[in-house]
Amino acid sequence: MKRVGRRWKWDIGGRKTWGRYLILAAVILAAGILVDLVCQRDVLMLAAGERGRFEVPEEACTWEGFTQTEDGWVLSDDMGVLSVELGGRYVSRFGFSYEYDERLSVKWYVWGPGDWGPAIIEDHNGALTQMSVERLDRPVERLQIVWGRDEMTPEAEEPVNEAETLTFRLREAFWVNSFGIRWQRVFFVWTVLGLAAFLWLGRHFIARHLEAGFLALALGLGILMIVLLPANKASWDEEVHFFHAYCVSHFGLEVKTNDMLERLFVADKENYPYSLPDNLDERRAMNATLNQSMEEEMVYSRGHALAGIYTPAYVPAALGLRLGFLLGLPFTLVYQLGRLFNLLFCAGIFAWAIRKIPIGKAVLCAIGLLPTPLFLMSMYSYDAFLTSLLALGFAWFLDEYLHPQRKIEWYGFAVIALSISIGSMPKAIYVPLILAVFLLPREKFADRRQELWMKGLAAVLFLVLMASFVLPTVLSPAESNDTRGGNTSEAGQIPYILSDIPRFLRMLISSICVTFPSYTIGSSVYGTMGHVALEMLGRVISAFMLLVLFADEKRLGSTKDREGRLRGGARAWILLLCAGIIAMVWVAMYLAFTPVGENTIKGVQARYYIPLLLPLYLCLCPDTVKINIKQERLYLLTLTGAALITGAVVTQSMLGLCG
């Protein structure tokens, strides 16, 4: 865009410029197809007779521990082995179809020509696929697939006795050497090259408008995550968040469900996050099962349920679900549409916060683009809703605080108060941040009456939301809480704390101090993607965040003492609020998730710190210590570095799921 007088006009360039853009787009599109062809080059070079889908002939198989029936081979012993002699044939994908009512865990042993020992593959399958496929992409001399009842359902809550009553029936074994465009892989190449082209061609624009660069990268990388991940539980407690979003999507009407939906609302065998489809073949099988099951009649009713105080956090995803159902899309696409709408809302709010914040733009941009925060935006989760709205409220507060000569308007106060209070509804423990408005000096207000009204409203919102969090625990402590933590009980834990308060305080302070570095700037808070990736690129992420933190501007250009910077008293007050929130997080998890009498606090995760990272960074990092990098270069460095880190984590953890 160009500024002409008082107006902005689009500078769309001449025919030559548009011609170059079209050529670049064509090159990117062709590159995606070409990369997919290269990945499947071995299959394309096979003779015509070697391409296709082939059933394993009986004479090539040796069965141990199975009994043959009319419907296939039934596992009859504690261990079963299928040995297949393939004589050095090239095998792209080998698989078997089966019938089993539980999750399946088996081991593959694969020998190639001349191999001294086998390649060993751990294969985990969810209860929805009923098909196991492994990409081998190599000549295979022979292979063995081993089933053991003790291993078939790992980490099962029930002992092996129940699994022994289940029947495992292997229907068919086959291998496939066929070419088919893997559109998820093609989309990955298109996204990476498209974002790289955007960063290069738009470098001058995004150097002045960081929020635009953030929004483009967040949407591009977030949509890529949604495309690569299956329509199943992948994030923390995603089944619970999907349940609430599904209820809210009815917007007060009767909520109807069926058998499959009820199972997707819990972390059951159909929704087990560590048995995600390993490749596109298994995903298609899972999608077919899900889509067919959702065509069944909705026979259960959950009344006119919403999600109580959590309802606002689920509205974006609920809108996506409602749109998908109205369009009559298959359920798996509807599920992904809910994720997409959550991403659109959270990324949009985050971009608004980056645009508004007067200092720390690069810091806020990096926080939103690194793997864990962006992953939460792209899944069913209220964490991203909370983080984005708190970022907006704090950004608006900083803009008011750092310009004391400008009178505050009711509109600005409303954005601060509503962003922090609505954002804190899912977790009221974060609402103390609203008390930052007490730092606004008297000269910010039109008169004393306005100051009392605004600060009084902030205090009321704080008290109401904190009461919703604290009073139920104090007045009616639960006898049992989250059983995932063990023998938990608020009613039992509170007397234990009160019996030796100094001991509890030592444990609390020690827990916070030991974990603080990794929970604020390490891979624990930035390099984890739910159940898909655990703490990746730790040193790289820490070095990148430190560079951005010390290079970004943390004060305005004014030289006046009271303008342009967070003063010592303001920093101390904000840090006190953050310290109180962190302490309450640990106390809450000790009450609700830790067995009674334990000397450690369980259940606290680094992602709980994400909403506090911006105020912590700006208050802990001195504005007098700075790495001298021009602002335009820093913005490009921040966008490029965060995109590379997130892209690397996505490549390592998700791309293989679509092979």
Side-chain angles (χ1 to χ4, degrees), residues 397-425:
F397 157 75
L398 283 177
D399 187 59
E400 295 290 351
Y401 175 84
L402 297 177
H403 296 93
Q405 78 287 351
R406 188 183 65 203
K407 299 297 183 183
I408 188 172
E409 301 288 342
W410 275 102
Y411 170 72
F413 172 78
V415 173
I416 297 172
L418 292 178
S419 295
I420 296 178
S421 57
I422 294 176
S424 299
M425 282 183 176

Side-chain angles (χ1 to χ4, degrees), residues 184 187 221-236 238 273 276-277 279-280 283 286-287 290 332-333 335-337 339 371 374-376 378-380 529-533 649-650 652-658:
Q184 282 87 348
F187 183 74
L221 293 170
I223 292 173
L224 181 61
M225 293 183 194
I226 294 171
V227 169
L228 295 182
L229 286 175
N232 210 332
K233 172 181 167 68
S235 182
W236 298 278
E238 190 170 9
L276 295 177
N279 47 63
L280 201 55
R283 181 187 293 200
M286 187 194 79
N287 286 352
L290 280 173
T332 50
L333 291 181
Y335 191 95
Q336 301 289 46
L337 199 59
R339 285 174 168 173
L374 188 56
F375 175 78
L376 289 168
S378 308
M379 299 292 114
Y380 287 95
M529 288 187 168
H531 306 290
V532 182
V649 173
V650 169
Q652 294 182 54
S653 61
M654 299 183 188
L655 188 58
L657 300 177
C658 300

Side-chain angles (χ1 to χ4, degrees), residues 17-52:
T17 301
W18 276 104
R20 291 173 181 172
Y21 290 162
L22 291 175
I23 292 173
L24 178 61
V27 169
I28 291 174
L29 293 175
I33 302 296
L34 180 61
V35 168
D36 191 60
L37 291 175
V38 171
C39 291
Q40 302 186 68
R41 61 189 181 279
D42 291 335
V43 173
L44 293 173
M45 295 175 65
L46 291 174
E50 291 294 321
R51 278 185 275 172

Side-chain angles (χ1 to χ4, degrees), residues 465-534:
L465 285 172
M466 281 304 297
S468 71
F469 174 75
V470 174
L471 288 182
T473 302
V474 174
L475 299 179
S476 181
E479 292 292 338
S480 62
N481 293 95
D482 197 329
T483 56
R484 294 173 299 175
N487 181 27
T488 59
S489 168
E490 290 176 350
Q493 198 74 285
I494 292 175
Y496 182 77
I497 294 173
L498 297 177
S499 66
D500 194 347
I501 294 178
R503 177 202 61 83
F504 175 73
L505 291 177
R506 288 193 298 269
M507 178 178 62
L508 175 65
I509 295 171
S510 173
S511 300
I512 294 174
C513 292
V514 168
T515 59
F516 191 79
S518 63
Y519 280 20
T520 54
I521 204 166
S523 59
S524 296
V525 70
Y526 285 127
T528 303
M529 288 187 168
H531 306 290
V532 182
L534 299 176

